[in-house]
Amino acid sequence: MSGCGGGGGATTPAAPPPVGTPPPPPPPVSNAPATGLLRDTFRNNFQVGTAITNANAQSSSASADLAVDQFGMITPEYELKLNNIAPNEGSLDFAEADDLVDWAIGNNMTVRGHALVWHAATPDYFLQGSPADIRLRLEDYIAAVMDHFRGRITIWDVANEVVSVDLYRGDEGIGPDRRSNWFEAVGNADYLDWAFRAARAADPTAQLFLSEYETENAFKRRWVIEILQRFADRGVPIDGVGHQFHLNLDTDPALALAAIDDVDNQFMGLVNHITELDLSFYRDPGTCWESETNCIADIGPTAPDGMLATQAQILRDLFTGFVQRSSVDVVNFWGVKDDDSWLNDVPVERYNYPLLFDRGGDPKPAFLAITDPSYVI
Ligand code: XIL
């Protein structure tokens, strides 16, 4: 340690460079953030994670390097979904998921398991037969998958996107349970009880989540709370709520933070995870999601500065709010670089800019806004 008092120590001055020696080159200029900055910034508050695919992780891509440097956790983007592990009746294929999970653990990251039950990732065979047949198939599947990853995955989204209201479909009147393929096949929402009970039995040490989109919408959130209350009444085990938070540049951060507060205010002892955070540059009408009509025009390959600044401010406000809420244990982005994002393809193909790193792997204003309090947006 060198003090700055400069009190009389016998230091040998460095020899002057020989005449004619060129000055040393300046340090390389880099926009790259210091290693570990993101995971370090919030170390005392929550884990920061990202979704990543196995292909991306194994390809020594910039996203893989950034994930290892910056994030403490990953969520396999599709490798753990039912249609990937069990595309056909009677066999389970863990190869891709194992690859990715072991990559993460080998790089000192933890893994969020996503997702055991999701309507969009359920092959037809899985929902055939009587409700009793479906129940048995589901219980066997959950037992097998959680057993396979025991000790490697300790957090599971047991159910994903099971809540009504889908605001784009206008199904306000139907009650808390989404009329999904699961609901229709079983005849009611009992499959949720089966799944959570099976998950608790399979690994009593695992944390179990219900993860949902648009919890930032107060109308929809009432249904989430109603399902949580039903779980409590029936003794269905659950540890936390996942808020996907697929937001956009019009989102008022206060509405998202209200979703956390609403869960806290139930006093059910549940924790909150942000499971799929991204901020789209498009605010499409519902018809764009429903039928790919009236979608907002492609912004093109250059992100406008004003939109980058808006994104940065929203994320700074969100992270400030997350830090203030002790029930927030995990904040997981849905991808590393802008070009990783599903939002370049969904609901239509367009350039989107929803994440913290740009297509070149450089940190965006949003990254700086959340990791550096002195950064001026
Ligand atoms: C998406 C992935 O990002 C895509 O790569 C995949 O093709 C489909 O699923 N809500 C969820 C996530 O819960 O699982 C979805 O992920 C995005 C919306």
Side-chain angles (χ1 to χ4, degrees):
M1 287 274 277
S2 63
C4 42
T11 47
T12 315
V19 177
T21 306
V29 178
S30 167
N31 290 332
T35 298
L37 197 49
L38 188 55
R39 76 207 297 186
D40 287 353
T41 305
F42 302 102
R43 193 198 332 241
N44 297 325
N45 306 105
F46 42 75
Q47 290 219 65
V48 186
T50 180
I52 194 164
T53 63
N54 189 42
N56 217 347
Q58 308 292 347
S59 65
S60 7
S61 63
S63 296
D65 291 345
L66 283 166
V68 171
D69 285 349
Q70 293 288 334
F71 295 89
M73 166 183 273
I74 63 132
T75 302
E77 192 165 340
Y78 66 84
E79 291 78 356
L80 290 170
K81 290 170 183 169
L82 204 159
N83 58 349
N84 211 61
I85 290 179
N88 304 301
E89 175 119 58
S91 64
L92 301 175
D93 180 358
F94 292 113
E96 270 208 298
D98 277 338
D99 234 20
L100 180 52
V101 169
D102 291 343
W103 171 84
I105 292 169
N107 284 296
N108 296 316
M109 291 181 279
T110 56
V111 180
R112 269 195 109 259
H114 172 81
L116 293 169
V117 172
W118 186 33
H119 66 94
T122 307
D124 289 345
Y125 80 82
F126 212 92
L127 296 177
Q128 268 152 25
S130 67
D133 295 334
I134 297 171
R135 177 177 187 168
L136 201 59
R137 205 179 278 123
L138 175 65
E139 289 172 347
D140 283 353
Y141 175 78
I142 288 177
V145 173
M146 289 184 68
D147 187 47
H148 183 83
F149 292 105
R150 186 185 309 280
R152 292 187 291 165
I153 301 181
T154 57
I155 300 170
W156 284 97
D157 287 337
V158 176
N160 187 39
E161 302 186 347
V162 295
V163 180
S164 182
V165 170
D166 191 321
L167 298 162
Y168 298 123
R169 292 196 329 218
D171 51 359
E172 282 87 353
I174 64 175
D177 300 299
R178 183 183 186 134
R179 280 1 186 208
S180 66
N181 46 0
W182 280 86
F183 186 100
E184 299 302 339
V186 171
N188 53 46
D190 284 358
Y191 68 96
L192 294 176
D193 302 27
W194 304 337
F196 278 91
R197 289 189 201 282
R200 182 66 97 225
D203 183 353
T205 66
Q207 271 195 304
L208 310 181
F209 285 78
L210 183 147
S211 190
E212 194 56 46
Y213 66 96
E214 276 179 3
T215 60
E216 66 279 10
N217 181 296
F219 190 93
K220 178 161 183 178
R221 201 153 68 234
R222 285 188 299 172
W223 294 138
V224 178
I225 302 292
E226 192 169 327
I227 291 176
L228 295 176
Q229 188 58 53
R230 192 175 72 207
F231 281 8
D233 295 345
R234 295 184 184 178
V236 175
I238 181 170
D239 299 296
V241 175
H243 306 264
Q244 293 188 359
F245 285 172
H246 292 293
L247 309 176
N248 62 59
L249 300 187
D250 287 341
T251 304
D252 178 353
L255 296 182
L257 296 172
I260 311 287
D261 294 338
D262 246 23
V263 173
D264 291 347
N265 290 337
Q266 305 310 308
F267 302 105
M268 292 176 173
L270 300 175
V271 299
N272 289 287
H273 284 190
I274 316 309
T275 51
E276 304 186 15
L277 183 58
D278 51 25
L279 261 88
S280 174
F281 274 29
Y282 300 91
R283 175 75 170 111
D284 294 306
T287 53
C288 179
W289 288 87
E290 279 295 288
S291 55
E292 300 184 14
T293 50
N294 302 318
C295 299
I296 292 170
D298 194 341
I299 291 168
T302 309
D305 286 344
M307 296 177 99
L308 290 168
T310 302
Q311 181 179 52
Q313 187 63 51
I314 293 172
L315 276 171
R316 177 175 274 174
D317 293 347
L318 282 174
F319 270 73
T320 302
F322 297 154
V323 165
Q324 289 164 347
R325 288 163 172 78
S326 61
S327 66
V328 175
D329 278 356
V330 165
V331 179
N332 189 75
F333 285 87
W334 205 243
V336 179
K337 290 161 63 210
D338 281 337
D339 53 345
D340 295 337
S341 173
W342 69 305
L343 293 171
N344 294 291
D345 304 305
V346 178
V348 289
E349 215 179 303
R350 278 175 311 203
Y351 284 96
N352 211 334
Y353 303 88
L355 299 170
L356 292 181
F357 297 91
D358 69 18
R359 285 169 166 73
D362 286 324
K364 293 166 58 187
F367 176 91
L368 301 170
I370 61 174
T371 54
D372 178 1
S374 68
Y375 176 74
V376 179
I377 296 172

